[in-house]
Amino acid sequence: MSKKSDKDASFLDEQDGKPRRRWKRIAYWTVVAGVWATILLGIGVAYIAWDLPNIDEAIAATRKPTIRVVTRDGIELARRGDRYGAPVRLDELPPELPQAILATEDRRFYDHWGVDPIGIARAMWVNVRAGGIRQGGSTLTQQAAKNLFLSPKRTLKRKLQEVVLALWLEAKFSKDQILTIYLNRVYFGQGVYGAEAAAQYYFGVPARNMSAYEAAMLAGMLKGPNKYNPMINPDLARERTDVVLANMVAAGYLSEADRKTITQPHNWWRYEKSTTKPLAHHYTDWVLDQVGDYVTLDQDVTVIVSLNARMQRAAEKLIKTTMKKGGAADKRAVSEVALVALAPDGAVLAMVGGANYAQSKFNRAVQAKRQPGSAFKPVVFLAGFEAGLAPETVMRDEPVTIDAWSPSNFKNEYLGDITLTDAMTRSINTVAVKVSEAAGRARVQDMARKLGITADLTDEPSLALGVSEVSLLEMTAAYGPFATGGLGLWPYAISEIQDSAGRPLYVRSGGGPGRVIPAAYAGAMNGMLANVIASPDGTGKGARLKRPAAGKTGTSQDYRDAWFIGYTPDLIAGVWMGNDNGRPMQNVTGGSFPARLWRDFTTAALAQTPAKNLPVEVLTTPKDGPTPENRPNPVETFIKEFFKSVFGN
């Protein structure tokens, strides 16, 4: 009996020990799991907090300086930088603004602790039922944390950082303080931050004077500052405002009767009718790229520019018509265009850098370099004048070969003896090459430099036919001395830069480089280039105006580029057409679309300007040939020919 009792007792002890050992194991692994969870949590917190911003620096309002670009008559072309108004307290704002925001963005703002699990669950349920994102779960505190401290990137890490910072804000500030911070820092589109700046920018009133309707409109913009912008999409802005007002009724801030008394302001026309379409995008980009060269951008500045808004609108309208889809130019494989217009002092009055700024911000008037073709010939003939030639000098239009290169005329025909004036009128290539060779290519290059062309120029015989690539702005400016009687010009856009108080930081002074060619040369060139437009045989007859004008066509090989550059005493303008990839157009010459666009633009631009005559002078060839100062030096000629025979060009 005793043995059996001992066995029974041993069995019972063994059975009692199993639960104890099980609980020990559970306790052990619970501790292990807790340790690892703590370690992983620490690693996670460290990962989230590793690159959190410096809170003291981030919470201080900082902004980029504002740069306003305005014309001389006060038309604003662009504004870059951030707009912040003066800080406002919550009790200084109309109560409808915070009410509208809370009703639409975070109705449980005063009930949660920075993160709202109920709001997150509700948003998830709505989104699941809708089959897409219809509602967000971020609280207003989280949005404030994002606006103050974080980038707009949508990543899990950023979202977790947002939660951490929201909890910090709730611990650091009261609810009213958080709401005040939010209202002073939230983004309202168009570079506008904060309620005060938004009220002044969109409604022209201080924030404290906003109507209930305007407050609801601002609250509605938070969902999509550009989509619901009253200046861009007034109809959508109205619809969104109605949604916000309905939310205020649902949240108990308004009664239905009160809601019916809130209507859009009588001056709604400010947003729908008086807002003009922005002008001169390519020009404005060009200006903004230069501002830092004139002043240090550590404060708000106003840049006063040379642009003539009326001329710019005319240029943009004509180009839109010319380049419309399915139009004549489109059917001839023309996809791009550029136009620039200058005053005789070099002021850029109009600039269009492409057919569609929204599709391409590349400025073809300034940044692109293309072959000007025959538009370069006036430079060649000026060099000929320096060498003793004159408009009535006779040369033979015939096949010519220089250094194994044989240029041909556009129509592949030769006219025999012809004056330089007729050769320019008909754009005869062989004569242009002969003039270049007679004057010397170095002289042609030097003349181009005098006229302001800084591009690299070939020293091959083809120099005469405009094979060296130049920008439209530079080539157009090179025609300036013809209109001014020989005075060079430097294109410019910036006339003055002022600080926020209107004090001048920079004022343009002086003019261009002064006289670059004799008045007699300019007068002679005016007679030649006027004939290009006026003569029935002129390649530029499509540019003919009802006032004195002169100009020259240019077409590069295989119709890759088509130019027309022309001028009157009051305006120098150039047009280029082609394709960015160099694809040939379909028989488009400078005398076709470019000449007609130049004609229509110049007619519109000078509609309010009386016609004036261009100075024309008769330049004759000396009976004894070139004058002594222009006659080739025999020693210099011998040396050049010697090196040419030994080393080539």
Side-chain angles (χ1 to χ4, degrees), residues 76-113:
E76 184 174 296
L77 300 178
R79 184 190 289 255
R80 299 288 188 273
D82 300 335
R83 297 181 180 91
Y84 280 91
V88 290
R89 297 193 309 271
L90 194 60
D91 58 8
E92 294 175 327
L93 294 169
E96 291 86 359
L97 180 59
Q99 289 171 359
I101 290 175
L102 293 176
T104 304
E105 298 293 321
D106 189 359
R107 294 186 191 179
R108 286 175 36 80
F109 174 69
Y110 284 99
D111 298 322
H112 60 65
W113 35 271

Side-chain angles (χ1 to χ4, degrees), residues 173-243:
F173 301 103
S174 70
K175 287 289 188 178
D176 284 352
Q177 287 175 325
I178 293 172
L179 187 54
T180 300
I181 292 170
Y182 178 84
L183 288 168
N184 279 284
R185 298 297 294 275
V186 69
Y187 182 58
F188 286 101
Q190 302 291 300
V192 177
Y193 291 85
E196 180 65 26
Q200 296 201 26
Y201 180 71
Y202 290 111
F203 311 126
V205 298
R208 65 178 178 275
N209 293 340
M210 279 191 297
S211 68
Y213 190 89
E214 290 167 338
M217 180 173 285
L218 284 191
M221 290 177 63
L222 298 177
K223 183 178 181 180
N226 291 318
K227 181 178 180 180
Y228 299 109
N229 187 317
M231 291 183 174
I232 298 174
N233 298 309
D235 290 336
L236 284 178
R238 271 194 298 257
E239 293 174 8
R240 180 65 180 163
T241 303
D242 289 339
V243 171

Side-chain angles (χ1 to χ4, degrees), residues 282 286 289 361-369 471-472:
H282 288 105
W286 179 56
D289 285 343
K361 294 176 175 55
F362 182 67
N363 190 340
R364 293 155 191 83
V366 176
Q367 296 171 287
K369 291 189 175 183
S471 72
L472 176 63

Side-chain angles (χ1 to χ4, degrees), residues 323-601:
M323 303 299 293
K324 66 181 179 182
K325 193 76 172 175
D330 183 48
K331 291 177 180 178
R332 299 274 288 277
V334 183
S335 66
E336 279 302 344
V337 63
L339 179 150
V340 66
L342 310 173
D345 69 345
V348 179
L349 302 175
M351 176 184 286
V352 180
N356 189 322
Y357 180 83
Q359 294 179 2
S360 172
K361 294 176 175 55
F362 182 67
N363 190 340
R364 293 155 191 83
V366 176
Q367 296 171 287
K369 291 189 175 183
R370 305 297 290 249
Q371 292 183 344
S374 294
F376 188 77
K377 285 176 181 174
V379 181
V380 176
F381 281 58
L382 278 178
F385 293 168
E386 271 196 345
L389 303 178
E392 297 311 307
T393 299
V394 175
M395 286 189 171
R396 178 167 286 274
D397 175 21
E398 61 186 354
V400 60
T401 299
I402 302 172
D403 296 342
W405 175 66
S406 301
S408 60
N409 291 327
F410 181 73
K411 294 183 179 180
N412 289 315
E413 61 183 18
Y414 303 96
L415 304 178
D417 289 344
I418 189 172
T419 65
L420 296 192
T421 294
D422 286 342
M424 180 76 82
T425 299
R426 300 169 183 266
S427 201
I428 303 298
N429 289 339
T430 59
V431 173
V433 173
K434 285 186 175 183
V435 171
S436 176
E437 294 301 303
R441 295 169 216 161
R443 194 193 295 269
V444 174
Q445 293 172 332
D446 183 58
M447 178 58 69
R449 300 286 177 255
K450 289 179 181 178
L451 296 176
I453 296 174
T454 61
D456 292 334
L457 301 175
T458 182
D459 58 2
E460 297 294 323
S462 57
L463 168 69
L465 302 186
V467 299
S468 298
E469 296 179 338
V470 297
S471 72
L472 176 63
L473 179 63
E474 201 166 83
M475 197 69 232
T476 302
Y479 279 58
F482 310 151
T484 62
L487 302 177
L489 58 84
W490 290 327
Y492 73 91
I494 298 175
S495 300
E496 185 176 350
I497 301 176
Q498 300 174 347
D499 65 13
S500 57
R503 293 183 294 262
L505 301 174
Y506 162 81
V507 178
R508 187 178 187 275
S509 60
R515 181 162 298 282
V516 294
I517 58 173
Y521 291 2
M525 186 57 65
N526 288 339
M528 297 176 78
L529 295 181
N531 209 48
V532 171
I533 293 177
S535 171
D537 298 321
T539 58
K541 58 181 177 288
R544 194 173 302 157
L545 302 177
K546 295 179 180 179
R547 64 169 68 218
K552 184 70 186 76
T553 58
T555 309
S556 68
Q557 192 171 16
D558 297 328
Y559 304 101
R560 286 185 168 86
D561 304 278
W563 300 62
F564 188 86
I565 303 175
Y567 56 95
T568 71
D570 299 295
L571 186 72
I572 308 105
V575 175
W576 167 87
M577 289 185 176
N579 297 300
D580 287 341
N581 60 5
R583 183 188 67 197
M585 297 173 286
Q586 295 177 9
N587 299 318
V588 175
T589 66
S592 59
F593 297 116
R596 293 193 288 272
L597 177 57
W598 179 90
R599 175 198 65 198
D600 294 342
F601 167 74

